[in-house]
Amino acid sequence: MERREAAHQNGGMTASALPLIAIDGPSGVGKSTTARRVASRLGWQYLDTGAMYRAAALAVHRAGLSLEDRPALERLLAGLDLAQNQGRTFLAGEDVSEAIRSQEVTRRVTPVSADARVREVLVEQQRRIGASGRWVVDGRDIGTVVFTSACCKVFLTASPEARARRRFLELQAKGQSPDFEEVLEDQRRRDLADSSRAVAPLRKAEDAVELDSSGLSLDQVVDWIVARHQAHP
Ligand code: DC
């Protein structure tokens, strides 16, 4: 794997670390908004790996493909053309930024993102992207699997209620009439699936710092991560 390594003087010892901030955590914790804001404050680029899994799930769905049909899945993965630009996600050149946020894709992405072969292909693409330049990357396995030598690893958490409340308000703002208990239950199912899957389950990297954002504003979370990065560049 190609990587641009930056050497840092660290307490008299030389450690090698990628100029990359990894932000992992469960769904609904505000990782994407936080990561985008941190990237903009630092003048770094932002990679949304969740959007990559969502776009892959959309491609699988559009192809009418079953994950059990391994030869067809291999063909789809070989031609999977994903890109991100200015916060938008493209599948074979088509802007799918809205389509990947649909309930349908949200439901279908869990099994797709648990597939070892899908992960292998997407992780390879993520590493290729992150090898050049300075990146803020958010996901579930960025600090534990994808970029284990990221210079800064943050594990962002919030109480299930705080996360569900956020999602509930987001759906209301979209004109929907969500049921809070249903939102909470759906989130509990996704938390369980993300943290109990066999491949790259959601967990905090040993060298990640954990931040509970339950009682914090977005600005406070962004300030905290930027300050943390500047103190440990
Ligand atoms: O963060 P999100 O809700 O957009 O992520 C969509 C799905 O992809 C979710 O089921 C978790 C999964 N995911 C993953 O398995 N690994 C990542 N690095 C990012 C997301």
Side-chain angles (χ1 to χ4, degrees):
M1 186 189 69
E2 220 185 301
R3 275 189 177 188
R4 210 186 69 179
E5 305 261 295
H8 290 264
Q9 283 305 119
N10 188 356
M13 293 169 63
T14 303
S16 207
L18 275 178
L20 191 145
I21 298 177
I23 303 181
D24 288 308
S27 59
V29 76
K31 294 185 300 293
S32 306
T33 320
T34 304
R36 188 174 293 119
R37 293 271 290 270
V38 170
S40 135
R41 282 268 292 273
L42 296 172
W44 290 20
Q45 301 185 80
Y46 165 55
L47 180 67
D48 179 349
T49 63
M52 295 176 73
Y53 286 99
R54 285 172 179 270
L58 180 64
V60 168
H61 174 50
R62 282 182 173 176
L65 199 146
S66 151
L67 290 173
E68 265 81 73
D69 186 347
R70 305 311 284 182
L73 180 67
E74 276 306 324
R75 280 195 297 278
L76 181 134
L77 290 173
L80 192 63
D81 174 11
L82 299 182
Q84 277 178 32
N85 192 7
Q86 314 271 346
R88 312 291 297 177
T89 299
F90 298 85
L91 176 62
E94 176 193 346
D95 186 341
V96 292
S97 311
E98 271 81 40
I100 60 170
R101 303 285 155 199
S102 71
Q103 295 282 48
E104 183 68 22
V105 171
T106 300
R107 202 167 50 76
R108 290 176 183 269
V109 69
T110 302
V112 172
S113 67
D115 187 283
R117 184 68 187 123
V118 170
R119 298 201 76 82
E120 200 178 345
V121 170
L122 292 197
V123 166
E124 211 270 319
Q125 292 192 6
Q126 291 157 15
R127 285 179 176 154
R128 216 172 328 115
I129 295 167
S132 61
R134 295 167 179 271
W135 290 87
V136 181
V137 185
D138 82 311
R140 304 291 189 289
D141 59 341
I142 309 306
T144 52
V145 174
V146 188
F147 295 113
T148 50
S149 45
C151 62
C152 178
K153 297 183 186 179
V154 178
F155 194 74
L156 200 56
T157 62
S159 69
E161 290 73 19
R163 291 188 284 128
R165 199 173 318 115
R166 217 175 144 260
R167 177 79 187 133
F168 176 82
L169 293 174
E170 257 173 31
L171 292 171
Q172 273 193 334
K174 282 186 186 169
Q176 299 177 20
S177 315
D179 177 82
F180 183 77
E181 289 307 318
E182 258 176 46
V183 173
L184 191 62
E185 178 54 25
D186 188 48
Q187 177 185 272
R188 197 195 60 76
R189 267 198 301 272
R190 277 195 287 150
D191 281 356
L192 185 67
D194 283 352
S195 55
S196 63
R197 69 182 174 213
V199 197
L202 170 68
R203 63 179 178 79
K204 176 182 162 300
E206 270 175 26
D207 52 349
V209 280
E210 183 164 344
L211 177 62
D212 184 337
S213 65
S214 303
L216 302 177
S217 67
L218 176 61
D219 278 340
Q220 285 173 315
V221 175
V222 171
D223 286 349
W224 189 92
I225 296 175
V226 169
R228 167 90 204 173
H229 165 67
Q230 284 166 345
H232 308 271

